[in-house]
Every structure is written in C-alpha cells, then in structure tokens.
C-alpha cells in the first residue's frame, strides 16, 4: 500500500504531511479509524484548508450530529451560490454500513490530496461528503463482525442505534439519520450521488463492482445518457487506472459466469431515492475478499473518476437533468414497478474463478467452492433491461387530510410544495378502496410491508376540512410523489404501513340486533340479495356461517363506516 502514497512525501513538507496524515496511513493499511478519530481529523482539515468546510447537518439516532463536508476550490460553500454558478455537485455518502468502511478512509485520503494539491479539484465541481452516516453503527465497533470480510482489523456494525439497516430507510424515514439525509440531499441537490459500500456474494477477480441506478427506471434522456455515456465512461477510465469494473454481481447461485440481472434499486435504497429526484445515482461495491488497502485504493480511484467525468461532461449532465425535470412536470403516466426483460441484454467481461462443490468439513455435505488457482475471463450476458409492469396515471393533485401528519411531515421533509385549505371545501375526487393486500408475516425493518395490493376507484364528492393539504402535481417532486402516494407502489407509504389504521373497522354490530335490520334491508335491495345468494353458491364455508353473511350485508350497506378500507389520499382529476 505504501506505493500508493509514496509520491506524497516528495512534494509535501514533512510537518504538513504529519499534520494531515490519515489514521489509515498511520497503521499497517488494515485499520480504519474510530468515530472520534474521524471527527477530529476532519475538524483539523477544516481549520487548515480554505477549500474544506465541515458542517453539522441534523441529528442521528446515536445522539451525535450528522456532518456534511463541503469541498470547493474557490472556497464558496453556500449551495444557493453554487447552484447559481451552475457547478456540478457530487454528494458522497460513507459508512451507511460501518462494517464497510472503505469510503470513510478513501474520502479522507481524496480530500487530503485535493487540499494539499496532489490532485486538482476542477473549478466546476463541488463535493459534499458525509464522512460517517451511521454513527451508531460506527460506535458499535468490533473485530468479530462480517466474519468473511478481509479486513480491516476492527470496524462498526451494520445496524444503527435502532438496529435499522439505514439503506432501507430512505422512504419510510424511521431514523433521524434518514430525516437529516433528506435535508442534506435537498440542500445540495446533487447532480451525481455516490454511496460507498462493500459487497458480499460470489468470489471473483474484480476489486470494484458498481450499482448504477437502473437506466430504464431512471428513464428519458437521463436513462439514455447513463447507459450510453456515463457508465461506459466510468468503466473506460477505471480500466485505464488498473481496475476492471463489473456491475454488482447480483448472482448468488455459484454460477455468475451464466450472467445475472441488474440489481433493481427501489426507492428504499439510497440510489433509488436519489433517482426519484432526477439525480445520477450509484452504489460502489468493493469485493469483501480483497485486501483492505486494495479496496480503499479502488474506492479512491472511482471517486476520482466520477469527478473527472463530471467536470469534462458538466454541460451534458446538467442539461440531461434540466430536460428530465421539465418532462416530468408534464408527464402523464409514471411507472411504479418493474420486471426484468430477459429478451434484451448487454455483455460484460467477467473475470471469475471456477466454482465447484466439494465435501464440507463441517457437515460432510457438498459445499460451494471457488478455486482461485483456476481464474477465467468470459464474456457474459448482463440483463440490464427492465420494463414497467405497473403504471399509474398522474392526477392533477393529491389531497391528504391533516390528520395523517406523519405522512405530511415526510412530504415537508422532502420539500414538497403543498398548501392547506383556508376553508372547509367540497370537491369531487377519485377515491381508492383497498380490495386486497398481503402483509408480511415477519417484520422487515420494523414494519410488516403490504404487498399484492389491489384497489378499486370511484368518483365521489368529499368534504375536506380547513387545514387539509392540497398537493399540486406540477412540481419537481412529481415522481417522488407518485412513488410514495400511489398505494400499489413497492415503496409507497401504504406499503410501509403508514395508513394501516384504515384496514381495521372501528364500528360494528350485534348479530341478534342486526338480524332484523339486515332482513329488511335485503327486501328493499334485491341487488345485495342476489350478491349474497351468489356468494353462498360459490363458497360452501361462507354458506354455513351466519356471522359472515351478516357481515357481508353490513359491508354492502350504508351503515358500514366510510373510512374502512378507503385509502386516505384522494386524487383530483383534471
């Protein structure tokens, strides 16, 4: 690893070198700093460099503030000014999983080298860096975590102070970190977002793999530019630096040489969240079995590559984002979910190791084994095309009653434009009824997500109260709003249980008292009687349950509560 930094000693005075030496450099190349060391190091660099400013940017579940490092060649750190100057903004996130600390050390090295003029930060690029996102996990340090990872010696835990996986929290925002991140993201409004990770899975020769937000999902001119310009440019530049990039090896069957589908980054993930705001977004994934110094260097070089490409193609990147946002203002339909299109694929040069099975010394049964004495290079199919399997029409506006303040707060957090009714207002809206859904049997990140959602819609006059929220769909947040407010979306607020209280009835009836009322109602409503008869014919169990039949009548009567199964987000049609 010493050769990576040996040139530094030739151009930096010994005193200055010692002052800004990173904790990673001070060890054997197999250490990553503790949280207190990280904060101390960045604080000193802030004080010594006019190009670096360290800011607090919200609180975390651990009780420590989140930090945002801004790196600007001209010393301009106000993002209103930065955006007016039309500079490219790159936001880099580190330590979302502190057991994957490569980006923590690589970012320190990169900014130290920029501040000491070993490498140049282009005039048209500004960096925002979160030095450690998951502070609670970073403080929970051990030599025992991630048992199959090759270094460093000790590092943090994957879960945060609530034991949440923060890379599943960008929509639901159960953590203070996610709330703080939303503020950082909208403050910086990055053109490119990078989240530094370490991968697990198959064994192969590549040091660095990359998740790009899926280009069909990103869509339009941005998706096309990502697929035909940005990604190829990154791959070419990294190859020139000695690193053969490969897409994240999304194959867990021991046969990656047969190809694999591109990882689909739903909005719950950092890159998927960023993509809903028309941002080119990426997750870097070094390979866990490579030595730590090699992984840190690969992360360092990939961040440099992003900076170089962004600077050289700044106009194209800016224009793609501008055109996409303009298009989304008038876009009539938005895809909500996607499926892999196996009829199309691209190719990649995969450098793997032959895999086989041998007898396990633990169980005596066959176990997967990669033979590093048998490396191979092979052109493999990469299934990086997806097609929408669920599309929703954009309404003119949404209306959310003010009682659903948890959702309102999340929308405010994301700077969604909305206004409150000044008076009680009667409006014809499209209401959505939840007809079917399935909640997960086991918890997932403190939730039991709803899936397989089926709905029915109708038009109705609804009286809204003074203070209820009207959300026009002619804003930059259009795509984000469609993702979170359409109940059938895979990462909607309905999916994440924010509206589950409508799924349970609050009113009911006493069977003996309702019997006569129900009988009289059926006499005057032959259509309900016919529906009941049909249900009895089709469902034997139902035909033998008097309570279920009374409930059927009740649910098809005017006495059933309006709020039951009615999704409390209303669509205003044009």
């Amino acid at each position: 690893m010493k050769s990576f930094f040996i040139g530094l000693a030739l151009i930096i005075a010994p005193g200055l070198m010692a002052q800004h030496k990173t904790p990673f450099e001070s060890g054997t190349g197999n250490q990553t700093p503790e949280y207190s060391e990280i904060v101390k190091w960045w604080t000193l660099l802030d004080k010594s460099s006019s190009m670096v400013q360290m800011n607090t940017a919200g609180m975390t579940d651990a009780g420590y503030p989140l930090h945002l490092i801004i790196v600007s060649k001209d010393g301009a750190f106000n993002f209103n000014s930065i955006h007016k100057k039309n500079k490219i903004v790159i936001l880099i996130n580190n330590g979302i999983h502190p057991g994957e600390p490569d980006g923590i050390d690589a970012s320190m090295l990169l900014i130290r080298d920029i501040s000491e003029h070993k490498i140049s930060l282009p005039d048209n690029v500004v960096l925002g860096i979160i030095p450690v996102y998951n502070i609670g996990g970073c403080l929970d340090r051990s030599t025992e975590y991630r048992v199959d990872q090759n270094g460093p010696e000790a590092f943090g835990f994957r879960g945060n102070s609530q034991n949440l996986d923060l890379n599943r929290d960008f929509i639901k925002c159960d953590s203070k970190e996610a709330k703080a991140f939303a503020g950082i993201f909208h403050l910086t409004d990055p053109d490119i977002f990078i989240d530094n990770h370490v991968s697990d899975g198959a064994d192969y020769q590549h040091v660095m793999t990359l998740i790009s937000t899926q280009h069909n999902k990103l869509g339009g001119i941005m998706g096309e530019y990502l697929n035909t310009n940005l990604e190829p440019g990154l791959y070419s530049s990294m190859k020139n630096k000695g690193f053969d990039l490969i897409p994240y090896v999304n194959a867990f069957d021991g046969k990656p040489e047969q190809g694999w589908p591109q990882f689909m980054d739903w909005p719950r993930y950092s890159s998927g969240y960023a993509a809903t705001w028309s941002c080119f977004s990426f997750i870097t994934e070094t390979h866990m079995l490579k030595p730590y110094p090699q992984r840190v260097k690969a992360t360092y070089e990939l961040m440099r590559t992003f900076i170089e490409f962004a600077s050289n193609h700044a106009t194209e990147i800016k224009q793609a984002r501008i055109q996409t946002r303009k298009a989304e203002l008038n876009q009539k339909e938005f895809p909500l979910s996607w499926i892999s299109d196996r009829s199309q694929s691209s190719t990649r040069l995969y450098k793997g190791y032959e895999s086989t099975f041998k007898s396990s010394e633990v169980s005596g049964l066959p176990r997967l084994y990669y033979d590093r004495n048998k490396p191979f290079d092979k052109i493999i199919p990469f299934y990086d095309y997806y097609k929408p399997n669920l599309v929703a029409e954009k309404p003119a506006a949404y209306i959310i009653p003010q009682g659903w303040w948890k959702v309102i707060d999340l929308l405010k957090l994301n700077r969604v434009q909305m206004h409150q009714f000044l008076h009680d207002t009667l409006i014809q809206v499209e209401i959505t009824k939840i007809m079917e859904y399935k909640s997960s049997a086991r918890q997932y990140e403190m939730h039991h997500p709803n899936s397989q959602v089926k709905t029915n819609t109708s038009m109705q006059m609804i009286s809204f109260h003074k203070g209820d929220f009207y959300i026009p769909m002619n804003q930059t947040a259009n795509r984000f709003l469609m993702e979170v407010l359409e109940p059938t979306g895979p990462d909607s607020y309905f999916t994440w249980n924010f509206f589950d209280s409508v799924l349970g009835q609050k009113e009911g009836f006493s069977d003996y008292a309702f019997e006569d009322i129900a009988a009289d109602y059926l006499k005057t409503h032959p259509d309900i009687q016919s529906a009941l008869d049909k249900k009895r014919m089709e469902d034997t169990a139902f035909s033998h349950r008097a309570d279920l039949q009374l409930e059927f009548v009740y649910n098809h009567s005017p006495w059933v509560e309006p709020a039951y199964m009615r999704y409390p987000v209303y669509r205003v049609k044009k």
Side-chain angles (χ1 to χ4, degrees):
M1 191 61 197
K2 291 181 179 178
S3 62
F4 180 36
F5 303 104
I6 198 161
L8 197 62
L10 302 177
I11 59 173
I12 302 296
L16 193 60
M17 171 68 174
Q19 181 181 356
H20 297 305
K21 194 173 185 179
T22 73
F24 171 78
E25 294 171 297
S26 299
T28 63
N30 198 33
Q31 292 82 32
T32 190
E34 296 182 10
Y35 177 68
S36 59
E37 295 179 278
I38 297 167
V39 173
K40 181 179 178 180
W41 188 90
W42 281 108
T43 301
L44 290 173
L45 188 64
D46 174 16
K47 290 179 179 178
S48 65
S49 175
S50 62
M51 298 173 62
V52 178
Q53 186 181 87
M54 184 178 185
N55 305 278
T56 57
M59 189 51 65
T60 68
D61 288 345
Y64 290 83
L66 202 61
H67 288 97
L68 174 65
I69 311 296
I70 307 171
V71 186
S72 175
K73 191 171 183 178
D74 62 7
F77 303 114
N78 181 283
F79 276 97
N80 287 330
S81 173
I82 288 167
H83 291 308
K84 286 178 181 177
K85 293 177 182 177
N86 211 32
K87 294 194 176 187
I88 285 284
V89 176
I90 301 176
L91 178 61
I92 300 169
N93 191 36
N94 296 308
I96 192 169
H97 299 147
E100 307 168 18
D102 306 22
I104 294 173
D105 288 304
S107 292
M108 295 167 80
L109 295 167
L110 178 68
I111 305 310
R112 190 278 313 280
D113 287 351
I114 288 173
S115 69
E116 295 180 351
H117 308 290
K118 179 182 178 183
I119 60 175
S120 176
L121 179 67
D123 294 337
N124 62 344
V125 175
V126 171
L127 304 179
I129 299 172
I130 299 174
V132 182
Y133 183 56
N134 181 357
I135 296 172
C138 193
L139 291 168
D140 185 4
R141 189 177 173 94
S142 175
T143 59
E144 309 302 331
Y145 298 141
R146 293 181 71 88
V147 61
D148 48 7
Q149 182 169 291
N150 186 4
E153 291 174 355
F155 39 77
F157 180 62
R158 185 178 181 91
N160 86 329
S161 296
Q162 292 191 71
N163 203 32
L164 288 167
D165 186 333
L166 294 181
N167 202 28
R168 311 292 187 272
D169 197 39
F170 287 93
I171 293 298
K172 58 189 179 69
C173 289
D174 288 321
S175 66
K176 291 181 180 178
E177 286 90 338
K179 292 178 171 66
F181 180 87
I184 290 173
F185 187 85
H186 292 291
L187 170 70
T188 58
D189 187 17
D191 300 288
I192 295 173
F193 171 71
I194 305 165
D195 197 355
N196 287 317
H197 287 246
V198 181
S199 75
D200 51 15
D203 194 6
Y204 41 77
Q205 300 173 54
H206 303 275
V207 178
M208 175 66 78
T209 73
L210 184 65
I211 296 175
S212 304
T213 197
Q214 206 284 318
H215 65 92
N216 301 113
K217 179 169 70 72
L218 185 59
I221 189 171
M222 284 186 68
E224 182 179 352
Y225 186 79
L226 170 66
N227 194 42
T228 59
N229 294 81
L230 207 168
E231 258 198 287
L234 296 175
Y235 276 65
S236 176
S237 179
M238 283 295 283
K239 186 175 182 62
N240 292 336
K241 292 180 171 71
F243 292 95
D244 287 308
L245 268 182
I246 193 75
Y248 171 71
V249 183
N250 192 29
F252 299 93
D253 58 359
K255 296 292 183 182
E257 64 271 19
Q258 296 176 358
W260 59 84
Q262 182 176 10
F263 180 82
M264 174 53 74
D265 56 334
W266 302 111
R268 71 189 64 175
Y269 302 109
S270 62
S271 62
Y273 169 83
T276 66
W277 297 99
S278 303
C279 172
F280 290 107
S281 49
F282 302 86
I283 295 177
T284 72
E285 296 269 5
T286 55
H287 188 229
M288 64 176 181
L289 298 180
K290 300 300 183 290
Y292 190 56
Q294 198 175 30
R295 292 176 3 225
V296 171
K297 183 175 181 181
T299 306
Y300 176 102
E301 293 296 351
L302 184 52
M303 288 190 293
R304 279 191 65 192
T305 296
F306 273 109
I307 292 169
E308 292 162 0
F309 187 95
S311 177
N312 293 334
H313 302 271
T315 300
E316 299 163 19
I317 291 170
K318 287 285 188 183
Q319 283 300 312
R321 294 192 73 212
I322 290 169
Q323 291 181 41
T324 296
R325 286 182 164 177
K326 285 182 178 179
E328 286 179 348
L329 290 177
N330 301 309
Q331 189 170 325
K332 294 181 179 179
E333 293 182 333
F334 286 81
L336 299 179
S337 64
W338 301 78
I339 55 173
S340 178
D341 182 1
R342 290 279 182 149
S343 68
Q344 302 183 73
S345 64
S346 59
T347 57
R348 297 290 191 275
L349 176 61
Y350 176 63
K351 297 187 173 185
Y353 298 113
E354 287 190 17
S355 63
T356 186
F357 287 85
K358 65 179 184 179
S359 179
S360 166
E361 295 181 20
V362 176
S363 67
L365 300 172
R367 52 146 292 191
L368 180 63
Y369 170 71
Y370 291 93
D371 191 343
R372 292 192 176 182
N373 294 315
K374 296 180 179 179
F376 67 84
D377 293 3
K378 182 180 179 182
I379 300 296
I380 56 105
F382 179 50
Y383 299 100
D384 55 341
Y385 288 86
Y386 279 71
K387 57 186 178 183
N389 69 336
L390 181 63
V391 176
E393 181 184 358
K394 184 187 75 173
Y398 289 104
I399 299 176
I400 304 181
Q402 60 200 293
W404 300 96
W405 55 268
K406 290 181 181 179
V407 168
I408 296 296
D409 285 352
L410 291 181
L411 298 181
K412 289 179 178 178
L413 196 67
N414 283 283
R415 301 190 183 184
V416 170
Q417 298 172 22
M418 49 191 173
H419 66 263
Q420 293 177 273
F421 290 124
L422 299 178
H423 309 281
D424 290 354
T425 305
L426 184 67
I427 303 178
Q428 186 180 51
V429 293
E430 182 179 73
I431 65 169
T432 301
K433 281 278 189 176
I434 306 299
M435 306 306 291
E436 295 180 29
Y437 69 96
K438 183 177 181 180
S439 293
S440 65
R442 299 180 63 182
Q443 76 80 33
Y444 176 69
E445 296 301 314
M446 294 206 307
H447 292 256
H448 291 261
N450 297 322
S451 62
Q452 301 178 37
V453 181
K454 294 182 180 180
T455 63
N456 200 358
T457 61
S458 61
M459 300 301 296
Q460 190 172 328
M461 296 296 293
I462 298 289
S463 180
F464 294 99
H465 298 293
K466 175 184 176 181
D468 290 344
F469 286 85
Y470 185 92
I471 306 168
M473 290 299 288
N474 58 353
Q475 55 179 300
T476 302
N478 275 1
R479 180 170 180 179
F480 174 80
L481 287 166
M482 294 292 292
E483 297 270 9
V484 299
L485 294 184
E486 288 298 317
T488 53
D491 271 333
S492 71
Y493 291 143
F494 179 79
T495 294
W496 287 111
N497 308 122
F498 283 91
F499 298 108
D500 272 13
S501 57
V502 305
L503 303 177
Q505 286 181 273
K506 305 302 182 287
E507 301 282 357
F509 57 87
S510 296
D511 288 10
Y512 79 93
F514 186 58
E515 276 281 359
D516 294 333
I517 298 170
D520 288 341
Y521 183 73
L522 290 174
K523 291 173 185 176
T524 56
H525 294 82
D527 55 328
I528 306 301
Q529 179 69 69
S530 296
L532 177 62
D533 293 340
K534 182 180 180 184
K535 177 72 172 174
R536 281 195 290 242
M537 290 286 292
E538 295 174 345
D539 189 336
T540 303
F542 177 82
S543 70
H544 290 88
R545 291 279 301 274
D547 59 331
L548 294 181
Q549 294 180 52
L550 282 176
E551 185 178 10
F552 181 92
V553 177
Y554 180 79
N555 288 337
H556 289 80
S557 77
W559 302 297
V560 69
E561 60 200 73
Y564 176 52
M565 301 295 277
R566 187 169 78 184
Y567 181 56
V569 178
Y570 303 88
R571 293 165 54 93
V572 179
K573 305 292 282 186
K574 293 181 179 179

